[in-house]
Amino acid sequence: MANNIIDPITAGLKAGWQHIDASTLESDQHFEADVVIVGTGAGGGTAAEILTEAGLSVIMVEGGALKSSSDFNMEERRAYPDLYQQAAGMKTSDKGIGIFQGKSVGGSTTVNWTTSIRTPDNALAFWAQEKSVKGLSSEILLPWFEKMEARLNISEWQYPPNRNNAALQEGCQKLGWEHTVIKRNVKGCWNTGYCGMGCPVNAKQSMLVTTIPSALEQGARLISNAKVTDLQHKGDKVVGLTATAQVASGTAASLTFKAKHYILSAGAIHTPAILMRAKTPDPHKQLGKTFLHPTLLSGSIFDKQIDGHSGAPQSIYSDEFVWKDGAAGELGYKLEVPPIHPVLIASKTIGYGRSHADLMTHFNNLQVMIALVRDGYSEQSRGGQVRLTDSGFALDYPLEKPFWDTARRAFATMAELQFAAGAKEVVPMNDGVAKQLNWLQAKETIANMDIGLLKTIVASAHVMGGCAMGEDKTQSMIDSEGNSHYFENLSVMDGSMFPTSLGANPQLSIYGIVARNATLLAQRLKPSIKL
């Protein structure tokens, strides 16, 4: 990379930002502020900027390390262990679904693929009608989406899609299916295609280079490598937080925090896990009900180079099949493509030894489609459950017959589209399935293939739910403005607030809804401030 790229984190730290790497502490420490925010992803970063702008003192506590563009060298071998939960190897308890989730400062916004989509109207209407959510219509949210789109330079991608995305577009055009150009949160993008390994040129408008630096400029404090281990509470109030420094060896310092208000933004697995560990009230057993967008993959081989590792990872999507049968009807799925990098794709393709080697031999001609299944809208797709274990947490996520029926339909859809786009061979990512040479062969194979747990590749990068919002306490943990039903000084501001999955990539939904909720909170904590 060019040597003249300014690293905003390095420059900010030299200028005096208040950052403590807890792993370097030699003794226990105590901190106090108006607001303590746990987590620095889409929710925590957005809330930190808004609350510091309101004049409140803010501490951000992050379990991961502070990394910056100087650390991002576009190598998978370093990016996955450094920037992802469990080195990108996290799985559900039955090993049926692989889960990608960020873990450094900035959370998943540091490593996501920049796709920015407003909350679908169908999801908002379902939440209002079935999940007791109030005040979150698309009209009410419009100014908040516009605010965050302007703040994070979110706009429609103006350049031609790379050939991986172009195949999705071409297939949709030939079949007459709906497709849309994606909005991305980038500024000065070099179009390298390595968004998943951290942006080395700071073009991605993640929390790492936008709201977190803004909050630090205004006096907020950031404490990294500090994992929250306890949340103390008494009556209807949270009275403190405890964290432990993350150290490779030796004695870890203990950190305690006291604040007027506490915000959990640790993500849709860790936020409910923190509340469970603290034995907070959950009389209606709603805590930890989680949704993933379980995702299927279909590979295809073209007789031309696709080079899916190069160029914007996602720039085209199709919603042709997401809401076809209504929100509560048959499970729908969104069509997108992933970036194609060697380790990522090799770990998500099928076959062993010679057959896998043969597939990877065609790496540069490989095009990959994904179908994200919309879950959480009926008894037939209830999502999963976070639970505590002796060593941490587990996510139970049973995939039942309605999902597998939908998976079979999604495989057929993807194969039809790939052949329509010009693929010479299609490989549904399901154990025991050979390359398919035409659409008719694929259609018959997919209709009869042995599909199911540990036979079918299923992955997800969208962890949602776990601490759902709504006014009805029997089906939610927080109200529609993010405030805890059980503690007057606790809010939840991250993807765990969603009462179902979204049917769309979640980052812009978190930005918009948290921007509204953090602004309402700032006005409540400091009424004299006009925002």
Side-chain angles (χ1 to χ4, degrees), residues 258-279:
K258 193 172 183 60
K260 296 175 184 174
H261 200 90
Y262 301 82
I263 297 176
L264 294 182
S265 302
I269 290 178
H270 295 288
T271 286
I274 289 170
L275 293 170
M276 288 177 180
R277 203 178 300 124
K279 295 182 170 56

Side-chain angles (χ1 to χ4, degrees), residues 116-128:
S116 303
I117 302 171
R118 294 180 183 179
T119 315
D121 290 346
N122 288 287
L124 294 173
F126 185 84
W127 295 351

Side-chain angles (χ1 to χ4, degrees), residues 2-15:
N3 293 324
N4 60 352
I5 294 172
I6 297 173
D7 184 331
I9 301 298
T10 302
L13 293 174
K14 285 182 180 176

